[in-house]
Amino acid sequence: MKDTVYEPIKLDGPAGKSITRRSGREKVTGKATFSAEWPMDGLLYATPVVSQISRGRIIRIDSSLAEALPGVYKVLTPENLPSFTRLPASGEGNFSSIVASKVYPVAERDIYYAGQYIAAVIADSFETARDAALLVQVEYESMPSETNIRRAEGSEQPGSVSGAPPTVDEQNAEQVLSAAAVQVDQEYFTEGNYHNPLEPHATIAHWTIKGGKPYLLVYDSSQSLALARQTYAQLFNLDASQIRVVCQYMGGAFGSKGLMWPHSILAVLCSKAVNRPVKLVVSRNQLYGGTGYRTPLIQRVALGASQDGLIEAIIHAGSASTSEVDQYTESFTLVTRMMYQRKALKLEQFQCRLNTQVPTFMRAPAEAGGVFALETAIDELAVKLEVDPVALRIKNEPVKDLFSSKPFSSRHLTTALQEGAKAFGWHRRRKTPRELRDGSWLVGFGVSAATYPSLGFPTQVTLRIGSDGTAKILCCSQEMGTGTATVQAQLLADLLGIPQGRVQMKLGDTDLPAGGISGGSATTGSVGGAVRQAYDKLKERLFELLASDSKLRKVPIDQVQFIDGALVYKNEMARFEDILMDANRDFIDVDGSFSPSFQTSTSNHSFGSQFVEVGVDEDLGLIRVRRMLGCFACGTILNARTARSQFLGGMIMGVGQALQESIRWDHRLGRITNDDFAEYHVPVNADIPEIDVLWIDNPDFNATPIGAKGIGEIGITGVAAAIGNAVYNATGKRLRTLPMTPKEFLSS
Ligand code: MOS
């Protein structure tokens, strides 16, 4: 095997530098136009009417009162809904569309979950639409529903779990477990979560005519603009050229805007029905049910080890939820395939059908829940073996990915654990619980490994190189708020050898070359991979444009280098802007693409370590995080400032998952009781202590052409386990349920 899949590149200019996000000023001065904010002539407002029951049938919808309200244009019901093509949902293996659920808005008479969109009011103001929605009278026939994963736990298995069968048993793991000298066998429960991006889901849709044909313009807060266009095309029988989808800014998404949820389809249907532009902003309440959530998980992790701490058997099994009619598979056992060495492995996933919106991916899908169970069990094993949990993890480092038998593209988990431990002052941890106090607080230290796969999605870019010395990256990727436009400009500036201020990225518009979904921490590597390929072609293009009397022409092209924005051979050099000027060209376009099919010879993952210090007030059941440190190995870091923000954001979200966030159900009614920020608790500043973020310099050219493995999601993984492990170290009490609320602490 070659050393690396991609030829390493040296990035020593603008890439990696700590540069402020380019959209920062627009955002803080209110000039950034978010998807709900585009001014449109004749704009109307739509509000969905949502189901108040969680399962049953609609008998009758009476919209006469609503229609009588001044300002109401139309009430859409199943009777007068414009036509569309029913596509299978993406979870059924339909990868050409991103329809999240086959329960289409306003189209159904059957109710599958509370919050289902069953009618819609279109009015001349948001307030009128909302008022009128309350006047729509719906008569239901109610049927029993199930929203409790503990009651629904069953024997159904998903078709596959990230490409493998739902049950995998290598070397009879149960037998190896029961023969092992030291055993841990526990159940872990994690509650469901909602993404709750600050910017609500929102769509403005406008049907017009262009060139004699219908033309659909959509402003959509979406992580998948190119796929959204493809999906609208299929839903409404249009050619892709008849659709433009735009999203210039996003106020958070975390996976909740990756697929197409009913409100987007509904906005387009509303616009079609009234032949006017229509805006639909999902309210905070209607987000709960209107969009997908992180499934609760019931997990069993069992570990068998020899007396000297070598893991012999790993078993990871359990249940996730999916909805009554749709399929979503949360691959919570994925991490366990490759994390540690072992002799025997058993993985088994079940699913239960709940009367909810279909679950979906939420920041570090699979890993956020899976790592909590696995890394808590590892800590429990360390306690039984009476060894340091950092040392136990290092001792069980695998030589390769034992599941796929492929070598790791790079790993560095040992370094991340060692460097993290050193920086955190891990040596000050007491081996025995209840030894460290600070006033009324018992203090403890905890550690966990962090990991997330390094993924990629097909991406195309065009580089527009100008005779004015500037360069543009054109790509329909999206600015999630993470700094995509900033870091890609840094990358290209570095490759071209010019100041980063001379490079811009245009994104967020399907009129640009198609990018992939901004999910799976894959944007930087995928877009960057396409940028690199286009850059690699640039030298040839410029060479062709050289003036016929240029001395460089006589030199074989492979001896000409591209350095600091110029073709160079010995003392001869020609800057790209001069080449273009001489050739009478304002600009040239060079295309590049990235395909993840190149990434298959190695097992590609990011790794890291999380260290946490907690204080626990045993009388009140309060758990306070006092210090946190994360140390990550994610390959090339293109911007120190935006990268730190990503890691910080992930770690803070991990605190939410660990201590606060939970969907609370009234299972009798099948309804969510905490559907707003007053009741669904997320961390605020007072919950968050000093956080240190470190990373290891390890460009990984097996994983992506620019060596970046992705950083958006790994930050959340391991945080909950590290907090729980720290609580054990402080108090001797093991919490196996998330979130670890005061009630949970006091009752366990
Ligand atoms: Mo992320 S949950 O893959 O958008």
Side-chain angles (χ1 to χ4, degrees):
M1 195 187 116
K2 282 193 302 172
D3 275 0
T4 52
V5 175
Y6 301 101
E7 210 54 53
I9 42 169
K10 208 168 148 212
L11 297 170
D12 51 7
K17 297 278 179 323
S18 181
I19 290 170
T20 316
R21 247 177 301 186
R22 289 174 169 204
S23 53
R25 177 175 292 271
E26 286 75 47
K27 283 183 178 165
V28 297
T29 55
K31 294 206 174 75
T33 309
F34 287 82
S35 295
E37 299 178 326
W38 289 90
M40 310 279 284
D41 286 338
L43 182 66
L44 298 178
Y45 300 78
T47 294
V49 177
V50 306
S51 169
Q52 305 297 313
I53 64 164
S54 48
R55 191 155 170 266
R57 269 186 71 76
I58 299 170
I59 306 288
R60 201 170 61 90
I61 298 180
D62 180 355
S63 54
S64 54
L65 279 177
E67 276 159 359
L69 201 69
V72 170
Y73 270 71
K74 196 161 195 162
V75 178
L76 287 185
T77 66
E79 250 106 77
N80 61 358
L81 190 71
S83 66
F84 64 94
T85 303
R86 277 179 186 267
L87 308 176
S90 66
E92 295 169 287
N94 175 18
F95 299 118
S96 68
S97 97
I98 52 168
V99 169
S101 166
K102 64 182 173 203
V103 179
Y104 279 91
V106 188
E108 322 291 346
R109 291 181 176 284
D110 291 321
I111 304 289
Y112 301 99
Y113 56 90
Q116 186 178 322
Y117 298 169
I118 53 177
V121 177
I122 307 161
D124 60 6
S125 77
F126 166 67
E127 290 77 8
T128 303
R130 190 183 50 183
D131 276 1
L134 296 173
L135 297 175
V136 175
Q137 313 286 306
V138 185
E139 202 181 307
Y140 305 96
E141 179 195 337
S142 195
M143 298 199 276
S145 68
E146 186 58 88
T147 49
N148 186 345
I149 188 173
R150 287 192 179 280
R151 269 199 318 241
E153 209 178 353
S155 55
E156 184 183 332
Q157 293 197 285
S160 84
V161 175
S162 293
T167 299
V168 168
D169 194 354
E170 296 176 354
Q171 311 298 327
N172 201 342
E174 298 282 2
Q175 219 167 66
V176 178
L177 173 73
S178 52
V182 182
Q183 297 164 30
V184 164
D185 194 342
Q186 292 292 349
E187 186 181 293
Y188 304 88
F189 180 70
T190 52
E191 291 279 10
N193 296 147
Y194 258 104
H195 316 67
N196 274 307
L198 268 189
E199 181 213 14
H201 296 71
T203 307
I204 297 176
H206 190 196
W207 287 87
T208 51
I209 301 284
K210 198 171 165 183
K213 285 186 192 162
Y215 185 76
L216 175 62
L217 171 64
V218 188
Y219 295 101
D220 219 355
S221 191
S222 167
Q223 291 170 253
S224 324
L225 293 172
L227 289 163
R229 174 164 82 162
Q230 202 173 307
T231 304
Y232 287 129
Q234 295 174 66
L235 283 168
F236 300 104
N237 299 318
L238 300 172
D239 187 76
S241 63
Q242 293 169 273
I243 305 169
R244 181 177 170 208
V245 191
V246 176
C247 177
Q248 288 297 314
Y249 299 92
M250 235 180 293
F254 315 113
S256 72
K257 298 168 180 172
L259 298 179
M260 186 178 287
W261 296 99
H263 67 273
S264 295
I265 300 168
L266 183 55
V268 175
L269 287 167
C270 287
S271 172
K272 203 174 180 190
V274 292
N275 207 15
R276 293 264 294 264
V278 172
K279 164 151 72 182
L280 197 164
V281 177
V282 179
S283 71
R284 188 62 56 185
N285 304 126
Q286 292 186 349
L287 168 160
Y288 292 78
T291 61
Y293 63 101
R294 190 200 295 286
T295 163
L297 296 171
I298 302 168
Q299 301 178 75
R300 171 192 173 213
V301 176
L303 302 171
S306 64
Q307 200 62 60
D308 58 354
L310 283 171
I311 298 173
E312 293 168 342
I314 304 181
I315 297 168
H316 191 169
S319 296
S321 73
T322 186
S323 72
E324 184 174 339
V325 285
D326 285 304
Q327 179 62 39
Y328 171 74
T329 307
E330 177 93 344
S331 307
F332 57 88
T333 57
L334 186 64
V335 54
T336 310
R337 293 180 187 176
M338 59 83 212
M339 202 58 194
Y340 296 110
Q341 68 80 30
R342 77 268 167 166
K343 288 185 192 141
L345 174 77
K346 184 178 173 191
L347 307 174
E348 190 157 48
Q349 288 205 198
F350 294 94
Q351 63 184 19
C352 20
R353 299 205 168 265
L354 299 182
N355 292 104
T356 64
Q357 176 60 283
V358 63
T360 193
F361 34 87
M362 174 169 159
R363 201 174 200 172
E367 274 67 24
V371 169
F372 167 69
L374 178 64
E375 289 295 298
T376 308
I378 291 283
D379 201 71
E380 301 201 46
L381 182 64
V383 170
K384 279 209 170 166
L385 288 163
E386 296 179 14
V387 298
D388 183 279
V390 170
L392 179 63
R393 287 177 173 88
I394 293 171
K395 183 163 195 162
N396 285 287
E397 272 285 283
V399 291
K400 61 176 178 181
D401 180 334
L402 295 172
F403 192 79
S404 67
S405 286
K406 291 176 189 173
F408 286 103
S409 63
S410 65
R411 201 161 147 113
H412 304 286
L413 175 58
T414 299
T415 317
L417 285 162
Q418 287 168 341
E419 295 289 312
K422 201 162 82 188
F424 191 72
W426 181 250
H427 64 279
R428 300 208 311 271
R429 168 183 177 269
R430 303 298 164 92
K431 289 187 180 65
T432 321
R434 310 189 67 81
E435 283 188 1
L436 210 53
R437 277 185 185 275
D438 179 4
S440 60
W441 299 92
L442 278 164
V443 175
F445 287 21
V447 63
S448 172
T451 186
Y452 192 75
S454 174
L455 306 170
F457 296 111
T459 301
Q460 283 144 37
V461 303
T462 297
L463 302 190
R464 183 159 291 176
I465 308 295
S467 61
D468 57 357
T470 65
K472 283 196 184 75
I473 304 166
L474 310 177
C475 176
C476 182
S477 182
Q478 35 283 304
E479 182 55 90
M480 294 254 290
T482 50
T484 297
T486 311
V487 306
Q488 295 297 334
Q490 285 175 262
L491 170 67
L492 182 59
D494 201 310
L495 292 172
L496 294 176
I498 63 177
Q500 60 101 10
R502 277 161 59 186
V503 184
Q504 279 196 334
M505 181 175 188
K506 284 186 71 175
L507 40 56
D509 189 330
T510 55
D511 283 353
L512 300 166
I517 175 175
S518 285
S521 302
T523 305
T524 298
S526 305
V527 177
V531 166
R532 177 180 174 181
Q533 200 202 57
Y535 163 79
D536 287 341
K537 292 196 226 158
L538 178 65
K539 189 173 86 172
E540 278 102 280
R541 289 295 307 280
L542 289 171
F543 201 81
E544 288 162 17
L545 290 172
L546 278 172
S548 50
D549 61 347
S550 166
K551 291 198 180 119
L552 284 169
R553 278 233 168 218
K554 308 202 173 63
V555 183
I557 184 166
D558 56 341
Q559 294 189 30
V560 177
Q561 288 184 291
F562 189 83
I563 304 171
D564 288 348
L567 295 181
V568 177
Y569 176 75
K570 292 190 177 160
N571 290 332
E572 290 298 318
M573 72 109 120
R575 267 190 272 273
F576 72 78
E577 56 264 44
D578 296 334
I579 297 171
L580 292 182
M581 205 110 75
D582 291 349
N584 266 325
R585 301 286 286 269
D586 287 341
F587 64 86
I588 52 165
D589 284 348
V590 190
D591 297 334
S593 64
F594 169 75
S595 161
S597 59
F598 291 112
Q599 295 170 302
T600 50
S601 59
T602 50
S603 176
N604 308 340
H605 305 262
S606 288
F607 292 92
S609 61
Q610 307 271 12
F611 290 85
V612 172
E613 178 185 320
V614 299
V616 182
D617 184 318
E618 284 193 298
D619 297 330
L620 300 175
L622 285 180
I623 299 168
R624 302 292 295 176
V625 178
R626 292 156 61 103
R627 279 194 310 133
M628 295 173 85
L629 179 143
C631 180
F632 303 98
C634 299
T636 305
I637 297 293
L638 285 179
N639 181 324
R641 180 187 293 245
T642 56
R644 183 167 178 277
S645 283
Q646 283 304 294
F647 291 128
L648 278 181
M651 290 169 77
I652 292 169
M653 215 163 175
V655 174
Q657 183 199 15
L659 299 177
Q660 298 172 310
E661 292 189 48
S662 165
I663 303 172
R664 299 290 180 193
W665 291 91
D666 183 332
H667 293 303
R668 295 164 306 174
L669 299 173
R671 291 176 67 161
I672 296 169
T673 60
N674 61 341
D675 54 354
D676 57 40
F677 273 145
E679 301 293 332
Y680 184 97
H681 289 181
V682 296
V684 296
N685 286 336
D687 296 309
I688 300 303
E690 278 301 307
I691 300 178
D692 284 323
V693 175
L694 311 175
W695 57 79
I696 291 159
D697 185 29
N698 72 318
D700 183 344
F701 293 99
N702 289 310
T704 66
I706 61 165
K709 290 200 280 188
I711 60 175
E713 315 197 55
I714 187 172
I716 189 174
T717 70
V719 173
I723 291 175
N725 297 342
V727 170
Y728 176 82
N729 184 243
T731 64
K733 205 180 239 193
R734 180 65 69 181
L735 299 188
R736 300 187 183 90
T737 294
L738 297 186
M740 300 176 244
T741 57
K743 180 180 159 210
E744 193 57 46
F745 182 87
L746 292 173
S747 63
S748 63

